[in-house]
Amino acid sequence: QVQLVESGGGLVQPGGSLGLSCAASGSIFWINVMGWYRQAPGKERELVAAITSGGHTNYADSVKGRFSISRDNAKKTVYVQMNSLKPEDTAVYYCNANVLEFGVLNDYWGQGTQVTVSS
């Protein structure tokens, strides 16, 4: 079984910065893609940013230039640095990992962490 434990999140003023991290543990042979998703009240969960094991990144248009995703493969950890935060960035942020276990790729999710951007 694989566990994803997120940390970070909280309340920040508009224009501020916040960082999230997510560490994976368990029966992991290799992690393919790691990413962050978010879900605001009344909205569907959406991709924020993702990064492959080789370091290729993908961002939602709404966060390009403001958010930066990175990962440490040795630590099985993914990070996202969020700058110039806006009230519309308020959501529960979820970590996702596509993990190779015993020859099968499985998706796992973290428990979610609240990010609130408000003055």
Side-chain angles (χ1 to χ4, degrees), residues 97-108:
N98 187 240
V99 178
L100 183 64
E101 294 176 279
F102 309 110
V104 179
L105 280 171
N106 296 307
D107 262 348
Y108 289 92

Side-chain angles (χ1 to χ4, degrees), residues 28-109:
I28 298 170
F29 179 77
W30 174 68
I31 303 178
N32 182 20
V33 180
M34 300 187 82
W36 291 94
Y37 289 71
R38 67 187 181 187
Q39 188 166 19
K43 295 188 177 181
E44 294 187 354
R45 190 174 297 189
E46 63 176 0
L47 173 69
V48 175
I51 184 168
T52 70
S53 60
H56 293 96
T57 59
N58 182 38
Y59 294 92
D61 288 343
S62 60
V63 307
K64 282 180 181 177
R66 300 188 298 122
F67 289 15
S68 178
I69 189 170
S70 60
R71 65 188 275 177
D72 184 327
N73 290 329
K75 294 182 178 179
K76 300 183 181 67
T77 300
V78 64
Y79 309 91
V80 64
Q81 178 63 37
M82 305 181 291
N83 300 323
S84 302
L85 283 161
K86 304 176 181 180
E88 51 263 44
D89 294 317
T90 296
V92 178
Y93 284 69
Y94 296 91
C95 172
N96 172 267
N98 187 240
V99 178
L100 183 64
E101 294 176 279
F102 309 110
V104 179
L105 280 171
N106 296 307
D107 262 348
Y108 289 92
W109 293 90

